[in-house]
């Protein structure tokens, strides 16, 4: 009851000053920026003296800062929590590639809510929650989509992307291109309220940034160092900060565009990141980095500006997380949530408008690779069951487990219950061997890839989502933005598990490369009892790109090249589930081909 009274009081403040005025007030626009692999310490606002981020910082100066804001240790889980307001294991997301990044189809998103409320909705950048319809962003509430749906992308300059399901390729840097598309969307949508989602692709590797940004950092001394200085690659730090400054410039482009169009006053602008830093670099002395459930792996910058309604310069000290964004943003905009699954997040609106709010105590849980940590406003119990006082010891250097056994006991019990409720794990006595459980990795998700929807006839089946068999290998250990290589035997094959929604004729295209001397292999594509044969020709053997990396990319990421389409022909597919298998029936040369993806396009019955 107290909470309901508080919310009512808050909305009286927002309405200012009468129900009639509130009803007549235009609905706010919403712009959400999401950085990829940016640490809390990557911004000048947070004390980094080596980087300049005036545009991002302005959101804090002119709005609200969530000082203790927590996301997930890696990319796709955070995105799922933002989109649904629910802990990511509940949404079906348990990995970052090979189909494990997909949100279950019965989940409803923040875009669904704004779309249903009559907003124009668009997403421009990295999606990372499913590629095939109906996992695609345009099936999850977005009217328009430009970018890439994978977990990372191997080409940042002149990148091959998609626009509303169709392949496009434009000259330029990927962040600049996606921002330009967002600006165009805002311009076209300004006659009605809009929700513009801009999930940037940086500073995620590969380490590529425009030269004008790199030149400012190329020889710059790095004075502020990470907590593991012996593991810090200073050129990676320089490149990450150069990427952040490029990103800041693009945030500035959007903010200026909103001002120029007269939209800034009534537009909510939110900025946050999806996990901790992707390299050992300065992060405010916090423990951990990306993929860690410690503070440094999951604490994110979060700034929110709405000039028409929210105070300037407010800092919220209470803990909050990505799960809170859906209930908060829909509440601020007066938009009704779509879906009836229980939310894990809270509406933070009362914290934005008054410092005297009676805010119930809470716990925020973080999980990855079977590890779970829990945070309260004061404490963190880490994944090893060690307790820290985060107010006195934000770097997690001095355990207080023995000194505060009561808190340790309470939080340990809370983690055990959360594992049971959210991860589906039964509690186990201390010291018992842990049972094997399904976790993140490179195994292909057993859920089939969905194919054949009339509203979205083109289905992209990348090597990432397939399974190499025999001697076939991925081009790198990271499946995202990889391709199949080492196809040399008739015993080799590659397999995609499909669920064909609509029976009918499909055009089949393979993105491939093949040395000219090896051209001529005969291949066969099979699904259930259907077959399509073709020949690998002509030869196409381009060199690996040399224009993509400012400094060498991590060895787990593939070096990319230009793939050409091999139009195999038409194939009639029945409805139902089965394996799509590509194999060779004759190999006159030393290899068959490298395969980036198969595309199936529904033509008709």
């Amino acid at each position: 009851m107290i909470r309901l009274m508080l919310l009512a009081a808050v909305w009286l403040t927002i309405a200012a000053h009468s129900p009639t005025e509130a009803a007549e007030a235009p609905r706010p626009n919403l712009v959400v920026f999401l950085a990829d692999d940016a640490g809390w310490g990557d911004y000048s606002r947070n004390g980094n003296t080596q980087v300049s981020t005036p545009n991002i910082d302005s959101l804090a100066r002119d709005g609200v800062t969530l000082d203790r804001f927590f996301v997930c240790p890696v990319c796709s889980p955070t995105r799922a929590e933002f989109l649904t307001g629910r802990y990511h294991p509940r949404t079906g997301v348990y990995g970052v590639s090979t189909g494990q990044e997909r949100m279950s189809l019965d989940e409803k998103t923040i875009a669904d809510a704004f779309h249903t409320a009559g907003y124009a909705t668009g997403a421009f950048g990295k999606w990372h929650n499913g590629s095939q319809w109906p996992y695609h962003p345009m099936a999850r509430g977005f009217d328009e989509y430009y970018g890439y749906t994978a977990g990372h992308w191997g080409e940042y300059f002149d990148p091959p992307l998609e626009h509303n399901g169709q392949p496009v390729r434009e000259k330029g840097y990927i962040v600049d291109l996606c921002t330009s598309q967002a600006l165009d969307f805002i311009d076209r949508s300004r006659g009605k309220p809009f929700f513009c989602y801009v999930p940037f692709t940086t500073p995620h590797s590969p380490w590529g940034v425009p030269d004008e940004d790199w030149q400012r950092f190329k020889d710059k001394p790095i004075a502020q160092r990470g907590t593991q200085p012996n593991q810090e690659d200073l050129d990676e730090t320089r490149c990450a900060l150069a990427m952040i400054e490029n990103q800041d410039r693009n945030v500035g482009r959007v903010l200026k565009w909103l001002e120029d169009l007269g939209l800034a006053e009534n537009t909510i602008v939110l900025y946050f990141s999806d996990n901790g830093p992707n390299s050992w670099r300065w992060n405010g002395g916090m423990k951990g980095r990306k993929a860690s459930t410690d503070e440094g792996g999951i604490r994110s910058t979060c700034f929110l500006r709405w000039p028409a309604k929210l105070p300037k310069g407010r800092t919220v000290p209470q803990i909050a997380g990505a799960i809170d964004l859906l209930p908060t943003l829909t509440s601020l905009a007066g938009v009704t949530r779509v879906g009836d699954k229980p939310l894990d997040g809270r509406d933070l609106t009362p914290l934005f408008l008054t410092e005297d709010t009676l805010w119930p105590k809470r716990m925020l849980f973080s999980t990855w690779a079977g590890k779970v940590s829990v945070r309260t406003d004061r404490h963190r119990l880490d994944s090893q069951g060690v307790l820290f006082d985060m107010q006195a010891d934000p770097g997690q250097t001095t355990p207080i487990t023995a000194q505060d056994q009561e808190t340790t006991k309470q939080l340990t019990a809370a983690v055990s219950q959360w594992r049971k409720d959210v991860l589906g794990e039964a509690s186990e006595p201390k010291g018992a061997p842990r049972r094997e459980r399904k976790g993140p990795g490179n195994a292909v998700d057993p859920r089939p890839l969905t194919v054949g929807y009339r509203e979205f006839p083109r289905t992209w089946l990348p090597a990432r989502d397939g399974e190499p068999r025999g001697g076939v290998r991925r081009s790198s250990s990271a499946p995202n933005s990889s391709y199949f290589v080492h196809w040399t035997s008739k015993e080799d094959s590659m397999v995609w598990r499909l669920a064909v929604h609509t029976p009918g004729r499909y055009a089949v295209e393979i993105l491939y490369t093949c040395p000219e001397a090896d051209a001529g292999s005969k291949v066969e594509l099979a699904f259930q009892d259907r077959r399509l044969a073709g020949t690998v020709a002509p030869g196409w053997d381009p060199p690996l790109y040399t224009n993509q990396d400012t400094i060498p990319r991590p060895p787990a990421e593939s070096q990319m090249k230009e793939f050409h389409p091999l139009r195999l022909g038409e194939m009639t597919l029945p409805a139902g589930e089965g394996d799509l298998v590509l194999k060779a029936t004759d190999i006159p040369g030393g290899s068959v081909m490298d395969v980036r993806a198969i595309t199936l396009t529904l033509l008709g019955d």
Side-chain angles (χ1 to χ4, degrees):
M1 176 61 74
I2 293 176
R3 189 178 181 197
L4 290 174
M5 293 172 64
L6 285 168
L7 288 173
V10 165
W11 271 108
L12 284 174
T13 303
I14 289 181
H17 301 280
S18 72
T20 301
E21 289 182 33
E24 294 175 351
R27 291 179 296 175
N29 306 304
L30 174 62
V31 175
V32 175
F33 298 109
L34 175 58
D36 192 5
D37 286 2
W40 177 89
D42 286 341
Y43 306 91
S44 47
R45 178 79 180 189
N46 295 336
N48 194 322
T49 61
Q50 304 167 126
V51 70
S52 177
T53 52
N55 296 297
I56 297 169
D57 295 349
S58 74
L59 300 175
R61 181 194 66 221
D62 298 335
V64 176
T65 297
L66 294 174
D67 187 55
R68 304 289 162 169
F69 182 80
F70 297 97
V71 292
C72 300
V74 290
C75 308
S76 52
T78 292
R79 294 156 201 272
E81 293 191 358
F82 157 62
L83 290 166
T84 66
R86 292 159 47 79
Y87 283 119
H88 72 89
R90 300 192 198 274
T91 72
V93 173
Y94 65 97
V96 296
S97 63
T98 61
Q100 300 175 8
E101 74 282 4
R102 291 178 291 173
M103 287 187 299
S104 299
L105 296 178
D106 58 354
E107 296 288 339
K108 297 298 182 182
T109 73
I110 187 172
D112 287 319
F114 278 84
H115 176 82
T116 300
Y119 277 63
T121 54
F124 308 92
K126 170 179 170 176
W127 172 244
H128 204 188
N129 283 126
S131 296
Q132 298 82 23
W133 191 278
Y135 295 97
H136 189 275
M138 293 182 70
R140 310 312 293 254
F142 289 102
D143 301 321
E144 182 173 352
Y145 176 68
Y146 178 97
Y148 66 96
T149 57
H152 82 257
W153 208 236
E155 300 167 61
Y156 282 5
F157 296 94
D158 309 336
L161 302 172
E162 69 157 280
H163 191 189
N164 296 342
Q166 296 301 314
V168 294
R169 190 163 201 156
E170 299 178 81
K171 293 285 187 181
Y173 184 60
I174 190 168
V175 178
D176 303 337
L177 292 172
C178 290
T179 302
S180 293
Q181 290 290 328
L183 295 177
D184 181 63
F185 168 79
I186 290 171
D187 188 34
R188 287 184 283 109
S189 304
R190 54 180 161 155
K192 62 189 296 189
F194 59 81
F195 169 27
C196 181
Y197 176 37
V198 189
F200 293 120
T201 194
T202 55
H204 197 300
S205 54
W207 302 110
V209 68
D211 190 63
E212 64 176 302
D213 297 298
W214 176 241
Q215 289 303 319
R216 294 194 303 277
F217 286 89
K218 181 179 179 182
D219 300 312
K220 188 172 186 175
I222 300 298
Q224 290 175 297
R225 302 292 297 276
T227 57
Q228 303 287 336
N230 60 321
Q231 297 184 50
E232 183 172 3
D233 183 314
L234 295 182
D235 272 346
E236 289 184 356
T237 297
R238 294 182 180 102
C239 196
L241 296 181
M243 288 168 146
I244 287 291
E245 288 200 356
N246 168 274
Q247 190 179 119
D248 181 79
R249 188 165 62 250
N250 278 287
V251 170
R253 292 173 65 198
V254 176
L255 298 183
K256 184 178 184 302
W257 194 233
L258 293 172
E259 290 283 355
D260 291 347
L261 296 178
L263 301 174
E265 180 73 10
N266 198 37
T267 298
I268 301 169
V269 180
L270 171 72
Y271 181 98
F272 70 112
S273 182
D274 62 357
N275 46 248
N278 54 338
S279 67
W280 291 109
R281 56 186 185 263
W282 185 81
N283 198 28
M286 291 183 285
K287 179 182 180 181
R289 50 167 281 186
K290 177 181 178 177
S292 164
T293 56
D294 288 309
E295 197 86 349
I298 52 180
R299 185 183 175 194
S300 166
T301 282
C302 188
F303 303 144
L304 182 76
R305 185 191 82 176
W306 185 13
K309 299 295 183 182
L310 296 182
K312 290 185 177 182
R314 170 70 56 84
T315 296
V316 174
Q318 290 92 340
I319 59 172
I323 55 174
D324 299 324
L325 295 178
L326 181 150
T328 300
L329 294 172
T330 52
S331 174
L332 283 173
V335 166
T336 301
R337 178 203 170 200
V338 172
D340 57 5
K341 289 180 177 290
L343 294 180
D344 293 306
R346 291 184 182 178
D347 176 9
L348 303 175
T349 301
L351 299 178
F352 297 165
L353 298 167
T354 175
E355 296 178 355
D356 299 324
T357 297
L358 295 176
W359 190 248
K361 292 182 179 180
R362 69 187 304 200
M363 301 177 187
L364 289 175
F365 297 86
S366 302
T367 185
W368 184 244
K371 298 179 179 180
V372 178
S373 69
V374 60
R375 185 69 152 82
T376 66
D377 280 320
R378 180 167 182 176
H379 296 102
R380 179 172 295 284
L381 186 77
D382 74 8
S383 63
Q384 303 301 312
V386 180
L387 184 68
F388 297 92
D389 184 333
M390 301 306 297
Q391 294 179 1
D393 178 29
Q396 292 176 251
T397 61
T398 307
I400 60 166
T401 315
Q403 297 94 312
D404 193 345
Q405 296 183 29
E406 181 61 29
T407 299
T408 301
K409 181 180 178 181
Q410 291 174 355
L411 296 184
T412 299
V415 167
S416 179
Q417 185 63 43
W418 190 86
R419 282 186 176 275
K420 181 179 179 181
D421 293 345
V422 178
L423 300 182
E425 297 180 0
S427 59
E428 297 169 338
K430 188 174 182 180
R434 186 168 300 283
R435 296 188 298 272
E436 290 295 319
R437 64 181 292 271
K438 192 174 189 179
N442 288 347
V444 175
D445 190 330
R447 291 176 293 181
L449 304 170
T450 45
V451 172
Y453 287 78
R454 297 187 190 280
E455 61 267 47
F456 203 83
R458 182 179 180 272
T459 301
W460 164 262
L461 301 173
R464 176 200 69 215
D465 292 342
E467 179 185 347
R469 293 183 181 176
V472 177
R473 298 290 181 266
R474 298 189 189 279
S475 52
S476 65
S477 59
N480 282 314
S481 203
S482 68
Y483 44 96
F484 288 138
V485 298
H486 299 159
W487 186 4
T488 61
S489 168
K490 289 189 286 187
E491 304 304 315
D492 298 340
S493 63
M494 46 201 71
V495 179
W496 290 261
R497 185 70 178 175
L498 304 186
V500 176
H501 180 260
T502 303
R505 295 181 298 109
Y506 288 79
V508 179
E509 183 177 278
I510 301 174
L511 283 180
Y512 82 108
T513 66
C514 173
E516 292 185 13
D518 291 343
S521 291
K522 304 295 184 183
V523 296
E524 180 185 82
L525 188 67
F527 179 78
Q528 295 185 9
D529 61 348
R530 309 303 166 89
R531 303 287 186 272
L532 176 64
T535 302
V536 180
W540 169 250
D541 193 22
L544 296 175
Y545 289 130
T546 59
N547 67 334
Q548 293 293 325
D549 295 351
T550 302
I551 62 174
R553 66 185 59 197
E557 296 179 5
S558 298
Q559 295 285 344
M560 302 305 292
K561 54 186 175 179
E562 184 178 357
F563 289 83
H564 269 195
L566 173 63
R567 294 175 176 85
L568 208 61
E570 291 185 13
M571 187 176 186
T572 300
L573 299 179
E577 189 171 326
D579 287 342
L580 183 74
V581 181
L582 181 63
K583 64 181 183 179
T585 57
D586 183 52
I587 307 174
S591 66
V592 182
M593 59 178 163
D594 292 352
V595 174
R596 177 77 175 87
I598 292 178
T599 299
L600 300 178
T601 302
L602 177 62
L603 301 175
D605 297 334

